[in-house]
Amino acid sequence: MLVTGNEILVPARAGKYGVGSFNTNNMEITQAIIHTAEKLRSPVMVQMSEGAIKYGGQDLANIVIDLAQRATVPVALHLDHGSSYESALKAIKMGFTSVMIDASHHSFEDNIKETRRVVEAAHAMGISVESELGRLGGIEEHIVVDEKDAFLTDPEEAVQFIEQTGTDYLAIAIGTSHGAYKGKGRPYIDHARIEKIAGLTQIPLVAHGSSGVPAEIVERFRTAGGQIGDAAGIADEDLQRATGFGIAKVNVDTDLRLASTVGIREALMANPKEFDPRKIFGPARDLMSKIVEHKLGVLGSVGKA
């Protein structure tokens, strides 16, 4: 069933579990996400970035919407990192049930102003809104407090931001970062900051850049001819702890990109003469499904639908 973000995330925050919000760029990724969520009886969010919209357009959105409407578990279609008011409205017209306005690179005051504009328009159409406060980066444990505070979300500002914007859920900067390179060794997550923000707020909180970048997948990527540096992801234990303190939406993109590429590379290596796309993209879909299944288990959403 196609639902709004609030219908999925409010129960998650109350139940102290997380919901995976996975980026899609094609049919196979979408199937891996929704079919796995249905098998595990888990709510799930499927998100498209502005780049995905440019690539797949209304056709890709329609694939997500169709699969979501036919699913027997709650599914939301979410705009990831919408860059403007116009972008959010475009997504709503396309059928999205959740949109993000990311004005975190603006001043605090301008972030509030731009977010409030989107909230007012989206709420008038029954659509949920995500916003962001703070800036994500590759935070490491040895960085001094003052330097970390320049990037991470301030708890008191989060309270003020929520009150003045009416945002439905808030992405906070807690040490996670986008991409496969999140620092050296195990990335540092500021759990104390999560707990402080969660204690001062009631709405669902969001963790961006939360791919695990599994070592096995990275090694298979290299073995299959891929080139990648010292990739590192967010530990399962850190995500489980975070979801117990208010992180209800957990964004995952890199893991599925890697798994998709590994599946395709391995299929072509095993049979260089293969040109049947079903036998090339099928293994990629299967491997992505395993990644989704693992993530949903880590977040504690299995059986919640």
Side-chain angles (χ1 to χ4, degrees), residues 23 25-30 32 217 220-221 224 253-268 279-291:
N23 285 73
N25 293 288
N26 64 21
M27 182 189 75
E28 286 79 11
I29 300 174
T30 306
I217 295 297
R220 287 172 65 175
F221 180 79
D253 185 10
T254 299
D255 284 351
L256 296 188
R257 292 187 182 203
L258 283 172
S260 176
T261 306
V262 167
I264 292 169
R265 282 182 174 275
E266 288 181 345
L268 292 174
K279 295 181 180 179
I280 297 171
F281 297 126
R285 183 176 59 190
D286 293 342
L287 187 53
M288 286 188 288
S289 295
K290 292 180 181 179
I291 294 292

Side-chain angles (χ1 to χ4, degrees), residues 227-246:
Q227 297 181 4
I228 189 170
D230 295 325
I234 306 303
D236 290 346
E237 296 81 2
D238 282 323
L239 289 181
Q240 289 173 330
R241 182 177 174 185
T243 56
F245 288 99

Side-chain angles (χ1 to χ4, degrees), residues 107-152:
S107 68
F108 182 68
E109 293 74 17
D110 287 344
N111 191 354
I112 289 176
K113 182 179 179 181
E114 189 67 7
T115 300
R116 188 165 54 221
R117 287 182 69 207
V118 174
V119 167
E120 290 173 351
H123 282 185
M125 292 176 271
I127 304 301
S128 307
V129 178
E130 174 184 341
S131 54
E132 183 169 338
L133 186 62
R135 289 176 290 161
L136 271 65
I139 308 301
E140 295 179 15
E141 201 159 7
H142 64 269
I143 294 180
V144 298
V145 173
D146 288 344
E147 192 172 354
K148 284 198 297 183
D149 284 342
F151 291 91
L152 304 188

